[in-house]
Amino acid sequence: MNTLPDTAERPVVLVVDDEPEILVALTDLLDQAYHVLAASSGEEGLALLRQNPDVAVIISDQRMPGMTGDVFFAHARELSGAGAILLTGYADISAVEAALNRGQISFFAYKPWDDETLLSMVGQAADRYRLENELARERLLLRGLLENLPFGLGFKDHNGSFIRLNQQMAREFNRSVADCLGQQEDDLVDGTRLESLRQAQSDLVASGRDQQVLQLPGPDGQSRWHDLTRVRLDTLRNEPVRAHTLSAYSILIDRDVTELLSLEQRLQQAQKMQAIGTLAGGIAHDFNNLLTAILGSLELVQDLEPPKEAATSRLYQNAMQAARRGAVLTRRLLDFSRPRHLVCQQVDVAEMLEHLRDFLMRGKVPDDIRGELDAERFKPGSGWERVSFELPDIALPPVWTDATQLQLAVLNQCLNALEAQPQGDSACVVSVRLADKLLGRHLGGEHASAWVVVQIRDHGAGMTEEQRARIFEPFFTTKDVGQGNGLGLSMTYSFISHCGGEVRVEGIPGGGTAVELWFPAMARGKGLEQPAQPPLPARKVLSVQDDPASADWEQDTVKESGEGRVPARALSTPVTQDMARVLPAAAEGRIILVVDDEPGVRAVTAGFLRRAGYAVLESSSGMDALEAVQQHADIALVVMDVKMPGMNGGEAARHIHTRRPELPVLFVTGYADFGLLPEGVAVLHKPYTRDALLGDVRAMLAA
């Protein structure tokens, strides 16, 4: 008979007896398998218990002076849950029975004891103490888990009544835990939730599991999405539960998945916008090549033989204007795909909004913003007095963004808000705040939990779920035909995304709309990745003359942005019959290499340059350009397309500069993919006019 415990660690046994010989005998008997503590009185035994809370078994004599064994165990129960064995004589049987009845002892043995029997009692008491400790630990862990779960959890008995549930679940029922215990779920819910419970019963009976995702009203009146899962416990076992009542026990899990669904929708939105942007960029590249060929060919025709009849001249001008409007629309579509005009720097958002408020109050909006939004929007009576600002008294951390684009984004959303409300309503409110976190976004380090949020809210008609799912798509608009092109929010979305931020829109039909622009905060003096590079001097594209009448046709200026030198906008001059024969002076001896894989674009570019008096060589690929540069040492300038099959313009330029580092290269592109280009290069965007091209060429040759 094995009477020793099956434990890796030696349990602690406390022996209490007033006779030294008994203490020695018990210590010798137990010392092989247990760590033994000895006390000669009840008082001393209690003191050892206080010092050693891990005692597993207590063996005590009944007859001791001062404190008898049963009295000692009564006090010991207040200090320890150790197994208790009372050693007694026949005369003390009544005290032993009382101690057993009160639960103070587990076993008793008569003196003199049998060694095997006593060792068996100690082993059983030690095992029971270990199991009770493990059970208590598991209960503590499970209770801690139950109360700290980020979702509601409840357990039901075979009658469907709650026997356990956490605070989160009780809050979903708008009751306390005590009020929910013993109640059935259908007594605690109503409406949509009660209907879902009744629908779940058949699935629970058939498969033992039911899961539903429901939209339920929250405590604040806002709807929240809940994932309700009900499972019968017997379905979690590999073998059937023997007890019939236990087989009907079940659990209820209630997860608020509103933010999770929102995060999933934002991920899908980001993927959709990325796909649309890629598609827009590819289409714009090809379309800009067509527009370049069309516009250039029309200009060359004008140079060769201007229309003589008035009707023909009008048709010619209509064609030119239509092509130019197509170029403007394509540029805006490209800005959605990849904003070209960002000049990112540290921006104090509250200070920027304060300046914007002052602009609107005085009616003096900067020209660059006025031009972007249409000057008609700022005439008296336009409704800007209905825009109010709520700015914080405390300083907010700066953000890394383009201040002008941020102002445009705010004003665009204010315009949307003004148009979404009747004239007499309290209009829109612009506010800014600091947020602790943005769910689903992590920037790491100091930027992980600090966000500056600009909110534009109104009390207009709001949006439906279907409208909100499409608001960032290019050309989607809720306005009437002719009142908007649907690019405002999509441009804002693209701009904010390129600044590392996010746009959130909340709208309830009939309850208004709130547009929030989230920017990751930054430490003063630091960018999110690296500080802004020193600005390069802007290089103005030369034109024949300035003509304000051509405000709808935008040409290029080069300025610095977060992605290198990119084009900004300046007004150029439309071609007129009087100007058709005004050409620059000839430039004999200056050879220019034109590189473009599109024959129509290459022919137009070469035609512009030849009409200006330059000698022109043409290449249809990057490899051909390398050979031409190697064969013709007198090439003074290369005008090269960026996106070409095989070797793109950036790669070709790098190879050219290994042979001739001093040779200038003017890049032309219909798609703003600056990742293909070295930093600090000159870029001319398709479609370009003759004057824009020649202005850049003259400037680069003069430099």
Side-chain angles (χ1 to χ4, degrees):
M1 177 179 177
N2 183 12
T3 58
L4 298 180
D6 294 330
T7 58
E9 297 182 0
R10 301 195 334 159
V12 180
V13 177
L14 172 62
V15 178
V16 183
D17 201 298
D18 62 314
E19 297 184 24
E21 295 82 0
I22 298 295
L23 291 178
V24 172
L26 289 173
T27 300
D28 290 343
L29 176 64
L30 301 170
D31 190 55
Q32 181 180 355
Y34 302 93
H35 178 66
V36 180
L37 301 176
S40 58
S41 67
E43 292 82 357
E44 186 180 348
L46 293 175
L48 286 174
L49 273 180
R50 293 187 184 95
Q51 299 170 8
N52 300 274
D54 57 342
V55 170
V57 182
I58 304 173
I59 303 174
S60 175
D61 187 22
Q62 169 61 17
R63 286 201 173 195
M64 294 183 295
M67 183 183 295
T68 59
D70 58 330
V71 174
F72 163 71
F73 277 123
H75 291 296
R77 277 285 166 259
E78 300 174 0
L79 301 174
S80 173
I85 302 173
L86 186 62
L87 296 178
T88 183
Y90 290 101
D92 302 316
I93 193 62
S94 59
V96 172
E97 290 176 353
L100 281 169
N101 291 334
R102 290 194 295 268
Q104 295 171 357
I105 63 174
S106 305
F107 304 98
F108 72 94
Y110 291 111
K111 290 182 179 180
W113 62 81
D114 177 74
D115 287 352
E116 291 294 330
T117 302
L118 183 59
L119 285 173
S120 177
M121 291 180 181
V122 174
Q124 292 181 57
D127 285 342
R128 180 174 179 177
Y129 174 79
R130 176 179 56 81
L131 291 175
E132 288 179 347
N133 270 1
E134 290 178 356
L135 179 60
R137 182 171 61 251
E138 292 299 320
R139 292 182 62 184
L140 179 64
L141 294 175
L142 290 176
R143 183 175 295 277
L145 176 63
L146 180 67
E147 292 302 330
N148 291 282
L149 287 172
F151 52 83
L153 179 62
F155 296 88
K156 303 178 184 179
D157 62 14
H158 60 283
N159 294 319
S161 300
F162 283 106
I163 56 174
R164 293 282 189 280
L165 75 163
N166 60 6
Q167 292 281 355
Q168 182 72 20
M169 180 63 77
R171 279 195 293 270
E172 298 299 338
F173 298 135
N174 200 24
R175 304 190 184 207
S176 67
V177 172
D179 290 339
C180 296
L181 290 175
Q183 299 290 321
Q184 295 187 345
E185 187 179 355
D186 52 5
D187 296 327
L188 301 173
V189 299
D190 55 15
T192 305
R193 191 155 190 155
L194 179 59
E195 183 181 350
S196 77
L197 174 62
R198 290 169 178 167
Q199 293 175 353
Q201 298 303 325
S202 58
D203 287 338
L204 278 174
V205 172
S207 64
R209 180 184 177 87
D210 175 77
Q211 185 173 15
Q212 300 177 6
V213 178
L214 305 175
Q215 191 174 21
L216 303 172
D220 56 356
Q222 297 292 326
S223 295
R224 309 284 295 178
W225 287 96
H226 290 256
D227 183 345
L228 300 179
T229 304
R230 298 175 176 89
V231 182
R232 285 206 330 263
L233 290 181
D234 61 311
T235 63
L236 304 178
R237 297 173 58 92
N238 293 326
E239 68 277 353
V241 178
R242 300 291 186 267
H244 174 70
T245 56
L246 290 180
S247 66
Y249 276 49
S250 63
I251 60 176
L252 169 65
I253 302 172
D254 184 340
R255 294 191 304 149
D256 187 331
V257 294
T258 306
E259 290 294 343
L260 184 62
L261 291 177
S262 176
L263 181 61
E264 182 179 351
Q265 290 172 354
R266 293 197 300 274
L267 177 60
Q268 292 174 351
Q269 178 70 33
Q271 292 172 338
K272 179 174 69 174
M273 299 300 281
Q274 182 179 9
I276 293 175
T278 302
L279 178 63
I283 292 175
H285 174 264
D286 293 337
F287 191 55
N288 278 333
N289 277 335
L290 294 175
L291 286 173
T292 302
I294 292 171
L295 281 167
S297 297
L298 287 173
E299 285 199 75
L300 287 173
V301 168
Q302 178 85 333
D303 288 342
L304 294 172
E305 187 175 353
K308 296 181 176 59
E309 298 181 3
T312 305
S313 179
R314 283 196 301 271
L315 291 174
Y316 175 85
Q317 292 299 328
N318 286 340
M320 290 290 290
Q321 292 298 332
R324 289 166 181 164
R325 285 196 296 270
V328 172
L329 184 62
T330 305
R331 181 187 58 76
R332 289 177 179 170
L333 196 59
L334 275 174
D335 283 347
F336 160 73
S337 169
R338 178 187 289 253
R340 300 185 300 164
H341 311 300
L342 296 185
V343 183
C344 291
Q345 57 189 338
Q346 280 194 11
V347 175
D348 186 323
V349 176
E351 182 180 353
M352 182 275 295
L353 292 178
E354 187 174 358
H355 291 162
L356 189 60
R357 178 182 60 186
D358 295 341
F359 292 152
L360 294 178
M361 290 177 60
R362 299 196 308 268
K364 295 182 178 179
V365 179
D367 292 339
D368 53 351
I369 297 177
R370 183 185 295 268
E372 283 287 343
L373 289 181
D374 185 359
E376 295 293 324
R377 297 286 193 177
F378 297 97
K379 287 186 176 180
S382 300
W384 290 105
E385 68 278 359
R386 299 161 59 201
V387 178
S388 59
F389 290 77
E390 295 178 355
L391 304 180
D393 296 329
I394 61 173
L396 300 180
V399 302
W400 189 250
T401 187
D402 184 316
T404 300
Q405 292 298 324
L406 178 53
Q407 288 177 323
L408 285 171
V410 172
L411 289 176
N412 258 315
Q413 302 319 310
C414 288
L415 283 172
N416 290 339
L418 293 174
E419 293 172 353
Q421 305 175 90
Q423 185 70 25
D425 285 3
S426 58
C428 72
V429 179
V430 180
S431 61
V432 60
R433 71 181 189 274
L434 188 65
D436 291 335
K437 63 180 179 179
L438 176 60
L439 187 66
R441 296 294 301 274
H442 179 79
L443 296 179
E446 61 195 279
H447 312 293
S449 61
W451 296 80
V452 176
V453 185
V454 179
Q455 184 190 75
I456 304 97
R457 65 181 186 272
D458 63 58
H459 301 284
M463 291 181 291
T464 64
E465 288 291 334
E466 294 75 14
Q467 290 172 334
R468 190 165 55 180
R470 298 186 59 197
I471 54 175
F472 296 123
E473 295 179 8
F475 306 113
F476 174 78
T477 178
T478 58
K479 301 175 184 177
D480 294 335
V481 176
Q483 294 187 3
N485 58 20
L487 283 173
L489 261 179
S490 62
M491 298 288 290
T492 298
Y493 177 92
S494 181
F495 153 61
I496 301 296
S497 298
H498 279 79
C499 293
E502 187 168 312
V503 183
R504 291 193 172 187
V505 179
E506 296 294 335
I508 302 173
T513 303
V515 179
E516 292 189 340
L517 314 179
W518 289 67
F519 293 91
M522 57 184 293
R524 293 190 181 273
K526 296 181 180 179
L528 286 178
E529 295 180 355
Q530 53 183 318
Q533 298 175 356
L536 296 177
R539 181 170 49 78
K540 175 77 173 179
V541 173
L542 302 177
S543 60
V544 177
Q545 66 181 35
D546 291 331
D547 183 0
S550 62
D552 63 336
W553 174 237
E554 298 171 299
Q555 277 300 320
D556 296 332
T557 301
V558 177
K559 68 179 181 182
E560 179 68 7
S561 85
E563 296 183 89
R565 291 176 61 101
V566 298
R569 287 156 299 201
L571 296 179
S572 186
T573 309
V575 176
T576 64
Q577 186 168 348
D578 293 338
M579 292 170 50
R581 300 188 182 281
V582 179
L583 296 175
E588 291 83 359
R590 310 306 295 271
I591 299 178
I592 298 176
L593 173 64
V594 176
V595 187
D596 202 304
D597 63 304
E598 288 286 339
V601 177
R602 191 171 65 248
V604 165
T605 305
F608 283 156
L609 295 172
R610 289 191 178 105
R611 292 284 295 171
Y614 296 101
V616 178
L617 298 175
E618 298 182 34
S619 294
S620 60
S621 67
M623 290 298 298
D624 290 345
L626 293 180
E627 293 179 5
V629 169
Q630 195 166 3
Q631 294 173 6
H632 300 275
D634 50 353
I635 291 176
L637 175 68
V638 179
V639 179
M640 182 151 49
D641 188 23
V642 175
K643 294 196 70 175
M644 295 184 293
M647 181 183 296
N648 64 54
E651 294 172 337
R654 281 189 284 271
H655 288 296
I656 288 174
H657 285 150
T658 59
R659 296 175 171 85
R660 292 187 57 187
E662 82 290 349
L663 182 59
V665 177
L666 172 62
F667 291 98
V668 294
T669 180
Y671 180 43
D673 191 352
F674 294 99
L676 301 178
L677 299 178
E679 293 184 3
V681 298
V683 180
L684 178 63
H685 280 268
K686 299 177 183 177
Y688 45 82
T689 63
R690 174 197 60 189
D691 298 320
L693 172 66
L694 296 181
D696 271 13
V697 168
R698 289 191 189 115
M700 296 191 72
L701 289 175

